[in-house]
Amino acid sequence: MQTLTVALGERSYPIHIGVNLLTRTDLILPHLLQAQVAIVTNTTVAPLYLAKLANALRASGVMVQEIILPDGEVHKNWQTLNQIFDALLAGHCERKTTLIALGGGVIGDLTGFAAACYLRGVPFIQIPTTLLAQVDSSVGGKTGINHPLGKNMIGAFYQPGLVLADINTLHTLPARELSAGLAEVIKYGLIYDATFFDWLATNMSALRALDTATLTYAIEHSCAIKAAIVAQDERESGLRALLNLGHTFGHAIESGMGYGNWLHGEAVAAGTVLAADLSCRMGWLTQNDVDRLRALYRAAGLPDSAPNLGVDAYLKWMGLDKKVENGRIRFVLLRRIGEAVTTADVPAELLSACLPGA
Ligand code: NAD
Ligand code: GLY
C-alpha cells in the first residue's frame, strides 16, 4: 500500500492506494467520530462492493446505513441530493455520523456535497471505485451537482477525512470507463510533468491491461501531483485552475451533447485536443506535440477530436464556465507538454477557428 498526504494543516488527510483495501477497517475506524456511518453508493456499485465494505464495518462494531442511488451523470442533481438528505434524516444520522462515498466521481461529488450541507457539515470519507475518481475527483474537496444550465455549477469545497483507493475495484470497471479515467491521468503529464507524459506513452498497454504495479504507479503519481497543487491552492485562486485543462471545452461538450452521452473523461480528452489546437495557434505548442497528444489519447481508447456542436453552441456553453471573469473566459492552455498557463487574452478569431463547425 502507498500512502500520500494532502497537506492542509488541521484538515490534512491521507490517501491510501493499494489492493484489497475495501475490508481494511483498521484504516477507516481511526477516522470515525462515532461508530455510525452512512454508505452512499449506486445501483451498479452496490451489488459489487457494498456488502464487502458494510459487512467488514459491521463486524468491527460500526452501525451502517446503506443509501443506494440511481446510477448516472444525469442523476447528479437536486432530486438525488435530496434523496440522501431524506435517508439521513429518516435514519436519525447525527453530527458525528460519517458519510462514506462508495463509487465513481458522481457518487463522490454528490456525497461530499451532502456531507457539506447535512447538519451544516458532517465528516466524510471517499472510497473511489473508478480510475477517474481514484486519480482526481476523490482528492481535493470539490463537491457538487449539475444544473440544467451548466455542469458542476452548484457545490462546495469540502475536504474528506480519508481517501481509500482499492485498485482491485478497477477489475469490474467497463473498458470505456477506464479510458475515461486515463484522460485525467494524461492531464497531469500535460500540465505538470513531461517525463510522466512520456512514461504514459510507453506504459499505456500495461495500464489498459490493469497491470497492478503500473496502475499503482500511475494512480500514486497522479494523486501526488493533485495533492501538491491542492495544498498550494485549495480554493482555486490560481495554480489549481491548471487542473481544468480541457474542461472549459469539455464541459461545453458534455452539456451540449446531453449529460451522460459523452463520459466526462471523453469530453475532457476532446476538449484538451481543442485547447492544444488553440495553444498551437497561439504559437506555443508545436504541431508535433499536438500530434503526440492525439496519438496518446487514441492509445488510451479516447476520442482525439471534438464533436461538431457548431461555433455558437460552443461559445454559449463555454460562457457558462466557472472560470468566466468579468464576462471573459479564462482558458487553460499549454505552453509545451508539461507546462500549462491560464489566460483570458485569446483573440476571438483564433478561438472560433479551432472550434468544430467553423
Ligand atoms: P461515474 O461516477 O458516473 O462512474 C462511471 C460508471 O462506472 C458508473 O456507471 C458507475 O456506476 C460505474 N462504476 C463505478 N465503479 C465501478 C466499478 N468498480 N466497477 C464497475 N462499474 C463501476 O463517473 P466517473 O468517471 O467516476 O466520474 C465522473 C464525475 O466526476 C463527473 O460528474 C465529473 O464532473 C466528476 N469529477 C469531479 C472532480 C472533482 O474534483 N470533484 C474531478 C473530476 C471529475
Ligand atoms: N478536477 C479539478 C480540480 O479538482 O480542481
Side-chain angles (χ1 to χ4, degrees):
M1 184 178 83
Q2 305 286 324
T3 299
L4 304 168
T5 301
V6 183
L8 289 167
E10 62 185 17
R11 289 175 299 114
S12 297
Y13 55 93
I15 306 169
H16 299 303
I17 302 158
V19 293
N20 299 326
L21 300 190
L22 270 188
T23 50
R24 288 285 304 273
T25 51
D26 59 311
L27 299 173
I28 298 176
L29 293 180
H31 295 275
L32 304 185
L33 298 181
Q34 68 184 26
Q36 186 184 13
V37 302
I39 303 175
V40 183
T41 187
N42 69 25
T43 48
T44 303
V45 178
L48 296 168
Y49 301 114
L50 179 57
K52 212 170 179 184
L53 175 65
N55 291 343
L57 285 165
R58 287 187 181 113
S60 304
V62 178
M63 208 161 79
V64 179
Q65 184 183 354
E66 300 175 358
I67 302 175
I68 302 176
L69 303 175
D71 184 12
E73 183 73 34
V74 76
H75 297 292
K76 190 173 150 182
N77 58 23
W78 275 118
Q79 288 73 21
T80 314
L81 186 69
N82 218 26
Q83 256 182 271
I84 304 179
F85 295 139
D86 289 347
L88 294 174
L89 287 164
H92 303 287
C93 290
E94 303 171 356
R95 274 229 163 95
K96 290 185 175 173
T97 304
T98 295
L99 303 198
I100 298 182
L102 175 70
V106 170
I107 285 295
D109 283 11
L110 273 163
T111 308
F113 192 30
C117 302
Y118 184 67
L119 304 181
R120 301 198 181 90
V122 295
F124 94 108
I125 288 174
Q126 290 270 18
I127 305 193
T129 62
T130 64
L131 180 61
L132 184 139
Q134 293 186 354
V135 298
D136 192 351
S137 61
S138 65
V139 175
K142 278 191 184 175
T143 73
I145 56 173
N146 299 327
H147 186 278
L149 291 181
K151 194 170 149 57
N152 291 337
M153 280 302 199
I154 316 291
F157 285 100
Y158 195 68
Q159 300 292 341
L162 164 70
V163 179
L164 207 59
D166 186 337
I167 288 172
N168 280 356
T169 60
L170 302 181
H171 286 272
T172 54
L173 197 62
R176 187 176 165 204
E177 297 289 353
L178 188 82
S179 291
L182 287 169
E184 303 285 12
V185 177
I186 292 169
K187 175 184 80 181
Y188 294 113
L190 288 170
I191 63 169
Y192 209 77
D193 188 342
T195 309
F196 186 48
F197 182 90
D198 293 338
W199 181 89
L200 288 169
T202 307
N203 290 281
M204 192 48 76
S205 306
L207 284 171
R208 293 186 74 187
L210 299 178
D211 174 72
T212 301
T214 316
L215 261 182
T216 305
Y217 177 76
I219 295 168
E220 194 240 309
H221 200 72
S222 299
C223 286
I225 293 175
K226 179 140 189 191
I229 290 175
V230 169
Q232 290 172 71
D233 180 22
E234 182 185 7
R235 291 193 164 237
E236 200 169 304
S237 48
L239 180 68
R240 185 167 180 170
L242 302 183
L243 290 170
N244 297 318
L245 174 69
H247 286 58
T248 302
F249 295 106
H251 287 166
I253 294 168
E254 272 185 276
S255 304
M257 297 299 284
Y259 293 135
N261 289 318
W262 275 56
L263 300 182
H264 177 74
E266 293 170 342
V268 165
T272 302
V273 172
L274 294 181
D277 182 15
L278 184 54
S279 307
C280 187
R281 289 172 197 268
M282 295 282 285
W284 295 340
L285 204 60
T286 64
Q287 186 58 49
N288 184 46
D289 282 340
V290 177
D291 295 342
R292 284 171 65 211
L293 182 156
R294 294 182 65 192
L296 187 54
Y297 284 144
R298 284 193 299 276
L302 287 161
D304 71 342
S305 60
N308 186 348
L309 300 178
V311 173
D312 289 347
Y314 268 105
L315 293 176
K316 180 190 93 174
W317 288 112
M318 290 196 304
L320 288 167
D321 192 82
K322 287 188 292 306
K323 290 182 295 305
V324 171
E325 277 177 16
N326 294 323
R328 299 182 79 200
I329 302 170
R330 280 197 80 76
F331 290 91
V332 184
L333 298 180
L334 291 167
R335 283 265 179 202
R336 57 184 67 80
I337 286 180
E339 186 186 342
V341 288
T342 55
T343 179
D345 293 325
V346 171
E349 63 279 12
L350 290 191
L351 172 61
S352 296
C354 80
L355 294 173

PDB file of all heavy atoms in Angstrom, residues 217-239:
ATOM      1  N   TYR A 217       1.548   2.838  -9.788  1.00  0.00           N
ATOM      2  CA  TYR A 217       2.443   3.979 -10.013  1.00  0.00           C
ATOM      3  C   TYR A 217       1.660   5.151 -10.620  1.00  0.00           C
ATOM      4  O   TYR A 217       1.799   6.297 -10.185  1.00  0.00           O
ATOM      5  CB  TYR A 217       3.617   3.603 -10.939  1.00  0.00           C
ATOM      6  CG  TYR A 217       4.485   4.797 -11.229  1.00  0.00           C
ATOM      7  CD1 TYR A 217       5.376   5.267 -10.278  1.00  0.00           C
ATOM      8  CD2 TYR A 217       4.363   5.496 -12.435  1.00  0.00           C
ATOM      9  CE1 TYR A 217       6.145   6.397 -10.505  1.00  0.00           C
ATOM     10  CE2 TYR A 217       5.122   6.632 -12.674  1.00  0.00           C
ATOM     11  CZ  TYR A 217       6.017   7.074 -11.713  1.00  0.00           C
ATOM     12  OH  TYR A 217       6.759   8.208 -11.948  1.00  0.00           O
ATOM     13  N   ALA A 218       0.830   4.856 -11.624  1.00  0.00           N
ATOM     14  CA  ALA A 218       0.101   5.947 -12.302  1.00  0.00           C
ATOM     15  C   ALA A 218      -0.860   6.648 -11.331  1.00  0.00           C
ATOM     16  O   ALA A 218      -0.975   7.884 -11.335  1.00  0.00           O
ATOM     17  CB  ALA A 218      -0.667   5.401 -13.501  1.00  0.00           C
ATOM     18  N   ILE A 219      -1.551   5.873 -10.490  1.00  0.00           N
ATOM     19  CA  ILE A 219      -2.507   6.477  -9.549  1.00  0.00           C
ATOM     20  C   ILE A 219      -1.762   7.280  -8.488  1.00  0.00           C
ATOM     21  O   ILE A 219      -2.119   8.422  -8.173  1.00  0.00           O
ATOM     22  CB  ILE A 219      -3.397   5.382  -8.905  1.00  0.00           C
ATOM     23  CG1 ILE A 219      -4.273   4.727  -9.975  1.00  0.00           C
ATOM     24  CG2 ILE A 219      -4.267   5.970  -7.797  1.00  0.00           C
ATOM     25  CD1 ILE A 219      -4.987   3.463  -9.532  1.00  0.00           C
ATOM     26  N   GLU A 220      -0.687   6.689  -7.969  1.00  0.00           N
ATOM     27  CA  GLU A 220       0.064   7.363  -6.917  1.00  0.00           C
ATOM     28  C   GLU A 220       0.680   8.662  -7.448  1.00  0.00           C
ATOM     29  O   GLU A 220       0.598   9.714  -6.814  1.00  0.00           O
ATOM     30  CB  GLU A 220       1.151   6.413  -6.415  1.00  0.00           C
ATOM     31  CG  GLU A 220       1.795   6.830  -5.123  1.00  0.00           C
ATOM     32  CD  GLU A 220       3.275   7.050  -5.301  1.00  0.00           C
ATOM     33  OE1 GLU A 220       3.951   6.154  -5.837  1.00  0.00           O
ATOM     34  OE2 GLU A 220       3.741   8.123  -4.914  1.00  0.00           O
ATOM     35  N   HIS A 221       1.254   8.605  -8.652  1.00  0.00           N
ATOM     36  CA  HIS A 221       1.893   9.794  -9.222  1.00  0.00           C
ATOM     37  C   HIS A 221       0.851  10.879  -9.515  1.00  0.00           C
ATOM     38  O   HIS A 221       1.077  12.058  -9.252  1.00  0.00           O
ATOM     39  CB  HIS A 221       2.651   9.404 -10.492  1.00  0.00           C
ATOM     40  CG  HIS A 221       3.687  10.408 -10.875  1.00  0.00           C
ATOM     41  ND1 HIS A 221       4.860  10.584 -10.182  1.00  0.00           N
ATOM     42  CD2 HIS A 221       3.698  11.340 -11.864  1.00  0.00           C
ATOM     43  CE1 HIS A 221       5.555  11.565 -10.727  1.00  0.00           C
ATOM     44  NE2 HIS A 221       4.872  12.042 -11.758  1.00  0.00           N
ATOM     45  N   SER A 222      -0.309  10.464 -10.038  1.00  0.00           N
ATOM     46  CA  SER A 222      -1.377  11.429 -10.313  1.00  0.00           C
ATOM     47  C   SER A 222      -1.848  12.089  -9.014  1.00  0.00           C
ATOM     48  O   SER A 222      -1.997  13.319  -8.941  1.00  0.00           O
ATOM     49  CB  SER A 222      -2.574  10.724 -10.973  1.00  0.00           C
ATOM     50  OG  SER A 222      -2.186  10.142 -12.190  1.00  0.00           O
ATOM     51  N   CYS A 223      -2.081  11.275  -7.989  1.00  0.00           N
ATOM     52  CA  CYS A 223      -2.554  11.823  -6.703  1.00  0.00           C
ATOM     53  C   CYS A 223      -1.497  12.731  -6.082  1.00  0.00           C
ATOM     54  O   CYS A 223      -1.838  13.740  -5.449  1.00  0.00           O
ATOM     55  CB  CYS A 223      -2.909  10.701  -5.728  1.00  0.00           C
ATOM     56  SG  CYS A 223      -4.447   9.862  -6.119  1.00  0.00           S
ATOM     57  N   ALA A 224      -0.216  12.382  -6.257  1.00  0.00           N
ATOM     58  CA  ALA A 224       0.848  13.219  -5.678  1.00  0.00           C
ATOM     59  C   ALA A 224       0.830  14.607  -6.331  1.00  0.00           C
ATOM     60  O   ALA A 224       0.958  15.625  -5.644  1.00  0.00           O
ATOM     61  CB  ALA A 224       2.203  12.553  -5.872  1.00  0.00           C
ATOM     62  N   ILE A 225       0.633  14.646  -7.653  1.00  0.00           N
ATOM     63  CA  ILE A 225       0.579  15.949  -8.338  1.00  0.00           C
ATOM     64  C   ILE A 225      -0.656  16.720  -7.868  1.00  0.00           C
ATOM     65  O   ILE A 225      -0.584  17.890  -7.519  1.00  0.00           O
ATOM     66  CB  ILE A 225       0.578  15.770  -9.878  1.00  0.00           C
ATOM     67  CG1 ILE A 225       1.926  15.196 -10.338  1.00  0.00           C
ATOM     68  CG2 ILE A 225       0.286  17.099 -10.579  1.00  0.00           C
ATOM     69  CD1 ILE A 225       2.001  14.858 -11.821  1.00  0.00           C
ATOM     70  N   LYS A 226      -1.803  16.017  -7.811  1.00  0.00           N
ATOM     71  CA  LYS A 226      -3.019  16.725  -7.398  1.00  0.00           C
ATOM     72  C   LYS A 226      -2.881  17.222  -5.962  1.00  0.00           C
ATOM     73  O   LYS A 226      -3.254  18.357  -5.649  1.00  0.00           O
ATOM     74  CB  LYS A 226      -4.253  15.829  -7.555  1.00  0.00           C
ATOM     75  CG  LYS A 226      -5.516  16.561  -7.087  1.00  0.00           C
ATOM     76  CD  LYS A 226      -6.726  16.349  -7.913  1.00  0.00           C
ATOM     77  CE  LYS A 226      -7.841  17.291  -7.463  1.00  0.00           C
ATOM     78  NZ  LYS A 226      -9.125  16.988  -8.030  1.00  0.00           N
ATOM     79  N   ALA A 227      -2.338  16.372  -5.066  1.00  0.00           N
ATOM     80  CA  ALA A 227      -2.211  16.767  -3.657  1.00  0.00           C
ATOM     81  C   ALA A 227      -1.300  17.986  -3.529  1.00  0.00           C
ATOM     82  O   ALA A 227      -1.583  18.908  -2.749  1.00  0.00           O
ATOM     83  CB  ALA A 227      -1.665  15.599  -2.841  1.00  0.00           C
ATOM     84  N   ALA A 228      -0.222  18.020  -4.315  1.00  0.00           N
ATOM     85  CA  ALA A 228       0.714  19.158  -4.237  1.00  0.00           C
ATOM     86  C   ALA A 228       0.017  20.438  -4.690  1.00  0.00           C
ATOM     87  O   ALA A 228       0.181  21.506  -4.077  1.00  0.00           O
ATOM     88  CB  ALA A 228       1.935  18.881  -5.107  1.00  0.00           C
ATOM     89  N   ILE A 229      -0.787  20.340  -5.738  1.00  0.00           N
ATOM     90  CA  ILE A 229      -1.478  21.533  -6.254  1.00  0.00           C
ATOM     91  C   ILE A 229      -2.549  21.999  -5.262  1.00  0.00           C
ATOM     92  O   ILE A 229      -2.648  23.190  -4.946  1.00  0.00           O
ATOM     93  CB  ILE A 229      -2.085  21.230  -7.647  1.00  0.00           C
ATOM     94  CG1 ILE A 229      -0.954  21.069  -8.672  1.00  0.00           C
ATOM     95  CG2 ILE A 229      -3.068  22.314  -8.077  1.00  0.00           C
ATOM     96  CD1 ILE A 229      -1.401  20.653 -10.063  1.00  0.00           C
ATOM     97  N   VAL A 230      -3.333  21.044  -4.743  1.00  0.00           N
ATOM     98  CA  VAL A 230      -4.414  21.411  -3.810  1.00  0.00           C
ATOM     99  C   VAL A 230      -3.828  22.024  -2.530  1.00  0.00           C
ATOM    100  O   VAL A 230      -4.371  22.990  -1.977  1.00  0.00           O
ATOM    101  CB  VAL A 230      -5.291  20.173  -3.492  1.00  0.00           C
ATOM    102  CG1 VAL A 230      -6.233  20.449  -2.333  1.00  0.00           C
ATOM    103  CG2 VAL A 230      -6.080  19.763  -4.734  1.00  0.00           C
ATOM    104  N   ALA A 231      -2.693  21.483  -2.066  1.00  0.00           N
ATOM    105  CA  ALA A 231      -2.078  22.010  -0.836  1.00  0.00           C
ATOM    106  C   ALA A 231      -1.663  23.473  -1.019  1.00  0.00           C
ATOM    107  O   ALA A 231      -1.696  24.260  -0.088  1.00  0.00           O
ATOM    108  CB  ALA A 231      -0.876  21.160  -0.446  1.00  0.00           C
ATOM    109  N   GLN A 232      -1.294  23.847  -2.264  1.00  0.00           N
ATOM    110  CA  GLN A 232      -0.864  25.234  -2.508  1.00  0.00           C
ATOM    111  C   GLN A 232      -2.022  26.176  -2.800  1.00  0.00           C
ATOM    112  O   GLN A 232      -1.921  27.372  -2.596  1.00  0.00           O
ATOM    113  CB  GLN A 232       0.087  25.269  -3.706  1.00  0.00           C
ATOM    114  CG  GLN A 232       1.438  24.632  -3.432  1.00  0.00           C
ATOM    115  CD  GLN A 232       2.246  24.521  -4.730  1.00  0.00           C
ATOM    116  OE1 GLN A 232       2.707  25.511  -5.257  1.00  0.00           O
ATOM    117  NE2 GLN A 232       2.399  23.309  -5.227  1.00  0.00           N
ATOM    118  N   ASP A 233      -3.125  25.620  -3.330  1.00  0.00           N
ATOM    119  CA  ASP A 233      -4.213  26.497  -3.805  1.00  0.00           C
ATOM    120  C   ASP A 233      -5.548  25.764  -3.678  1.00  0.00           C
ATOM    121  O   ASP A 233      -6.177  25.429  -4.679  1.00  0.00           O
ATOM    122  CB  ASP A 233      -3.941  26.890  -5.271  1.00  0.00           C
ATOM    123  CG  ASP A 233      -5.021  27.804  -5.832  1.00  0.00           C
ATOM    124  OD1 ASP A 233      -5.724  28.458  -5.044  1.00  0.00           O
ATOM    125  OD2 ASP A 233      -5.159  27.842  -7.071  1.00  0.00           O
ATOM    126  N   GLU A 234      -5.976  25.564  -2.430  1.00  0.00           N
ATOM    127  CA  GLU A 234      -7.166  24.743  -2.185  1.00  0.00           C
ATOM    128  C   GLU A 234      -8.400  25.279  -2.913  1.00  0.00           C
ATOM    129  O   GLU A 234      -9.179  24.528  -3.469  1.00  0.00           O
ATOM    130  CB  GLU A 234      -7.440  24.667  -0.677  1.00  0.00           C
ATOM    131  CG  GLU A 234      -8.631  23.799  -0.319  1.00  0.00           C
ATOM    132  CD  GLU A 234      -8.977  23.833   1.157  1.00  0.00           C
ATOM    133  OE1 GLU A 234      -8.372  24.632   1.904  1.00  0.00           O
ATOM    134  OE2 GLU A 234      -9.880  23.077   1.557  1.00  0.00           O
ATOM    135  N   ARG A 235      -8.582  26.604  -2.907  1.00  0.00           N
ATOM    136  CA  ARG A 235      -9.837  27.180  -3.409  1.00  0.00           C
ATOM    137  C   ARG A 235      -9.716  27.776  -4.801  1.00  0.00           C
ATOM    138  O   ARG A 235     -10.506  28.613  -5.218  1.00  0.00           O
ATOM    139  CB  ARG A 235     -10.357  28.217  -2.420  1.00  0.00           C
ATOM    140  CG  ARG A 235     -10.802  27.499  -1.165  1.00  0.00           C
ATOM    141  CD  ARG A 235     -11.617  28.354  -0.256  1.00  0.00           C
ATOM    142  NE  ARG A 235     -12.287  27.479   0.685  1.00  0.00           N
ATOM    143  CZ  ARG A 235     -13.599  27.430   0.868  1.00  0.00           C
ATOM    144  NH1 ARG A 235     -14.388  28.222   0.177  1.00  0.00           N
ATOM    145  NH2 ARG A 235     -14.112  26.602   1.742  1.00  0.00           N
ATOM    146  N   GLU A 236      -8.704  27.332  -5.529  1.00  0.00           N
ATOM    147  CA  GLU A 236      -8.555  27.692  -6.938  1.00  0.00           C
ATOM    148  C   GLU A 236      -8.477  29.195  -7.177  1.00  0.00           C
ATOM    149  O   GLU A 236      -9.232  29.754  -7.965  1.00  0.00           O
ATOM    150  CB  GLU A 236      -9.695  27.078  -7.759  1.00  0.00           C
ATOM    151  CG  GLU A 236      -9.351  26.991  -9.227  1.00  0.00           C
ATOM    152  CD  GLU A 236     -10.332  26.145 -10.022  1.00  0.00           C
ATOM    153  OE1 GLU A 236     -10.529  24.979  -9.662  1.00  0.00           O
ATOM    154  OE2 GLU A 236     -10.887  26.670 -10.989  1.00  0.00           O
ATOM    155  N   SER A 237      -7.526  29.837  -6.469  1.00  0.00           N
ATOM    156  CA  SER A 237      -7.328  31.251  -6.791  1.00  0.00           C
ATOM    157  C   SER A 237      -6.264  31.420  -7.868  1.00  0.00           C
ATOM    158  O   SER A 237      -6.057  32.516  -8.373  1.00  0.00           O
ATOM    159  CB  SER A 237      -6.979  32.046  -5.531  1.00  0.00           C
ATOM    160  OG  SER A 237      -5.973  31.386  -4.827  1.00  0.00           O
ATOM    161  N   GLY A 238      -5.571  30.338  -8.240  1.00  0.00           N
ATOM    162  CA  GLY A 238      -4.550  30.438  -9.282  1.00  0.00           C
ATOM    163  C   GLY A 238      -4.162  29.073  -9.811  1.00  0.00           C
ATOM    164  O   GLY A 238      -4.829  28.501 -10.682  1.00  0.00           O
ATOM    165  N   LEU A 239      -3.099  28.517  -9.201  1.00  0.00           N
ATOM    166  CA  LEU A 239      -2.493  27.270  -9.695  1.00  0.00           C
ATOM    167  C   LEU A 239      -3.498  26.155  -9.968  1.00  0.00           C
ATOM    168  O   LEU A 239      -3.418  25.444 -10.977  1.00  0.00           O
ATOM    169  CB  LEU A 239      -1.459  26.797  -8.654  1.00  0.00           C
ATOM    170  CG  LEU A 239      -0.708  25.513  -8.950  1.00  0.00           C
ATOM    171  CD1 LEU A 239       0.242  25.709 -10.133  1.00  0.00           C
ATOM    172  CD2 LEU A 239       0.095  25.056  -7.716  1.00  0.00           C
TER     173      LEU A 239
END
